[in-house]
Amino acid sequence: MNALSTVFTRQVGIEVPLICGAMYPCSNLELVAAVSAAGGIGIVQPISMSFVHKRELREGLRAIRAITDRPIGFNAIVEKSSKAYEDRMRKWIDIALEEGVRFFITALGDPRWVVERVHAVGGIVYHDVTERKWAEKALAGGVDGLICVNRDAGGHAGTASAEQLWRDLGDLGVPLIAAGGVGDAAAFARTLDIGFAGVQLGTRFIATTECRAHDDYKQAILRARPEDIVLTERISGVPVAVIKTPYIEKVGTEASFLMKRALQHAKLKHYARLYYSVKSVFELRRASLQGVSYRDFFQAGKSVGGIDSVEPAGDIVRRFAAAARAA
Ligand SMILES: Cc1cc2nc3c(=O)[nH]c(=O)nc-3n(C[C@H](O)[C@H](O)[C@H](O)COP(=O)(O)O)c2cc1C
């Protein structure tokens, strides 16, 4: 019997309750494959795969399969932004299912239609949540588990601590995964000890040999301390965790007055969000691939505090698993 076995590992068929979360623009196929090959599960971010790393989705999924036949997951951001985006996401999900992916992490919108498609072939869907209101909505949509995004997370951070989310959502009767703030093996073991069925990490896996992010970005993560992480609205219109660099200090972290008004306006908010999502897709891609020669804004969470070297992703999975087994 695997000492790290949880409801989650049994559902998805993995050994270590560790997810390398989807990261736009940092999820490249080599990183996803390395985490899965080591016994955790890597999540494909389809926009990152196609737009940043220039791999057509089906071909990219097959390239992962050539490296490992262990389970991988797929990130479906189901926010209603445009008809073209929704159509694209539906096609991507069909391709992922055809290529054998059976674990999906939905984020931001109503996961119901994804659940219907994925359950029809026996797959599993977890949804990203930051509070109980969204958790209840996702459960009404039929999801099998919840990714509890806490206030320390990279990407779109939540507002509650991991412990608070455990207390707020622990009675919902589905497996809970903690996301945010875990940068070292001791924090991984501690988080599982709270009772979570797994831990999703992002920032830790940017500082790996497999991640294709620019070395300036990786070095910025090694140098940063938790207090250097700030939330900025200037990338996507909603707060995103970034390292406070001279560039961030110069441009500030608040959306402009006009954009704030537009984001609150009943009719204009849709266009404001669309503007931000297109702008952020381009800007983040450049910042991640070009390093400080572009603009130094680097997304990262407070887990930077536990990260002090660039390592192969598989070594991280094995070290974290050993610490949790020994705890
Ligand atoms: C650079 C970056 C990009 C991210 N992009 C996404 C994304 O595209 N979709 C998503 O669901 N979560 C995204 N996340 C969140 C991660 O999947 C994960 O939940 C989070 O990083 C966990 O916090 P940590 O960074 O402290 O480990 C992103 C996080 C980072 C750091």
Side-chain angles (χ1 to χ4, degrees):
M1 168 87 173
N2 174 7
L4 294 181
S5 170
T6 68
V7 186
F8 168 65
T9 60
R10 292 189 291 276
Q11 275 177 336
V12 298
I14 59 173
E15 279 166 34
V16 184
L18 181 154
I19 304 174
C20 171
M23 289 184 281
Y24 180 88
C26 301
S27 297
N28 51 276
L29 70 89
E30 296 80 3
L31 175 59
V32 172
V35 172
S36 286
I41 186 163
I43 309 295
V44 169
Q45 212 296 354
I47 312 172
S48 187
M49 168 95 86
S50 53
F51 183 66
V52 181
H53 302 287
K54 305 289 176 203
R55 306 295 289 251
E56 192 261 321
L57 182 61
R58 191 183 301 277
E59 182 258 324
L61 293 172
R62 289 184 181 175
I64 295 175
R65 282 283 157 261
I67 304 172
T68 179
D69 59 1
R70 301 228 180 141
I72 57 169
F74 185 93
N75 182 222
I77 296 178
V78 287
E79 185 184 34
K80 281 196 181 313
S81 53
S82 69
K83 171 92 174 65
Y85 173 77
E86 276 179 63
D87 289 348
R88 173 67 66 91
M89 188 51 78
R90 280 175 198 275
K91 281 196 191 113
W92 275 338
I93 287 177
D94 287 345
I95 291 171
L97 289 170
E98 283 160 22
E99 294 300 318
V101 179
R102 291 294 178 266
F103 178 53
F104 290 75
I105 297 181
T106 48
L108 292 178
D110 183 354
R112 191 177 301 259
W113 66 268
V114 181
V115 170
E116 280 163 14
R117 268 176 151 85
V118 173
H119 280 180
V121 295
I124 298 287
V125 181
Y126 278 38
H127 189 75
D128 269 0
V129 297
T130 51
E131 55 180 288
R132 190 164 176 113
K133 177 173 69 169
W134 305 121
E136 285 173 349
K137 219 172 158 194
L139 289 174
V143 301
D144 305 286
L146 300 167
I147 312 277
C148 308
V149 181
N150 65 49
R151 64 184 178 199
D152 295 332
H156 292 123
T159 52
S161 67
E163 291 80 3
Q164 186 63 48
L165 284 166
W166 175 256
R167 285 194 292 274
D168 291 350
L169 309 178
D171 64 339
L172 289 172
V174 291
L176 303 181
I177 304 291
V182 175
D184 59 33
F188 178 69
R190 266 199 315 275
T191 307
L192 287 177
D193 208 40
I194 296 174
F196 287 102
V199 183
Q200 171 161 289
L201 297 94
T203 306
R204 171 60 274 197
F205 285 104
I206 299 171
T208 55
T209 45
E210 291 86 355
C211 180
R212 293 251 189 109
H214 196 283
D215 198 49
D216 290 347
Y217 190 173
K218 296 180 186 178
Q219 294 305 321
I221 287 175
L222 302 192
R223 276 195 308 272
R225 296 154 305 166
E227 54 273 29
D228 297 327
I229 304 302
V230 293
L231 296 175
T232 178
E233 294 170 351
R234 294 185 72 99
I235 296 176
S236 64
V238 288
V240 172
V242 293
I243 300 174
K244 188 168 62 183
T245 57
Y247 173 73
I248 294 290
E249 285 188 282
K250 194 174 104 203
V251 298
T253 53
E254 284 192 27
S256 71
F257 176 73
L258 279 180
M259 279 321 269
K260 268 193 183 154
R261 292 290 298 269
L263 283 164
Q264 284 156 5
H265 192 279
K267 286 198 181 127
L268 289 181
K269 75 177 177 208
H270 172 73
Y271 295 103
R273 289 223 186 104
L274 193 62
Y275 163 77
Y276 268 126
S277 52
V278 172
K279 173 174 160 283
S280 65
V281 156
F282 279 92
E283 293 214 347
L284 289 172
R285 180 178 68 164
R286 291 185 69 176
S288 150
L289 297 178
Q290 285 175 235
V292 292
S293 64
Y294 177 55
R295 292 172 184 169
D296 44 348
F297 66 61
F298 301 129
Q299 289 189 84
K302 291 194 189 254
S303 54
V304 289
I307 306 173
D308 52 21
S309 62
V310 174
E311 296 173 74
D315 289 0
I316 295 170
V317 176
R318 285 182 284 272
R319 195 175 67 250
F320 281 30
R325 277 191 197 101

